[in-house]
Structure formats: C-alpha cells, structure tokens
C-alpha cells in the first residue's frame, strides 16, 4: 500500500519504481495507491498511470472519506 495524500510530484515515480522493481506476477503482487481527498492531482495522475501502464498489479483507491474504503 502506498499512501498518496498530496503526492502529485512523487506518485508517478513511486508507482513505476515499485512495479519495475520486481518480476512478480499479478497473483503475487498488488500495488495499491491510496488517495484520501488529495487537493492536488495525485488521484488523476494515479488513474492516468493505471490506464497507460495497463498493469493489473496497479490499483488506485480514491475516496471522499477513508470510511468509504472496503477491504
């Protein structure tokens, strides 16, 4: 899990480094970027990465409230 509150400057590099640092498959690795009401572009950058990288190991969790998350 990667907390991503107001991390627009860092979230792209962090997500890419995490997924490129291991050859583990989707069965053995899941990278969750958790955005809880960032006031910058963290959520949008994460969603763009998810679409462009097309990597099922990368997931973006974004909400208006942390209480909305269901684990």
């Amino acid at each position: 899990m990667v907390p991503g509150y107001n991390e627009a400057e860092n979230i792209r590099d962090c997500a890419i480094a995490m997924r490129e640092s291991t050859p583990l498959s989707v069965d053995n690795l899941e990278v969750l970027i958790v955005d809880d009401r960032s006031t910058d572009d963290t959520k949008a950058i994460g969603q763009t990465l998810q679409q462009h990288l097309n990597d099922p190991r990368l997931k973006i969790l974004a909400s208006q409230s942390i209480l909305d998350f269901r684990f």
Side-chain angles (χ1 to χ4, degrees), residues 6-48:
N6 287 344
E7 289 293 334
E9 291 184 30
N10 304 308
I11 203 67
R12 182 182 189 285
D13 291 341
C14 178
I16 289 172
M18 289 185 73
R19 65 184 281 276
E20 290 181 352
S21 69
T22 180
L24 292 175
S25 70
V26 70
D27 294 328
N28 297 306
L29 177 69
E30 184 173 53
V31 176
L32 302 172
I33 296 175
V34 182
D35 174 64
D36 185 29
R37 298 183 287 168
S38 289
T39 57
D40 63 6
D41 291 330
T42 300
K43 178 181 170 183
I45 293 168
Q47 290 171 332
T48 299

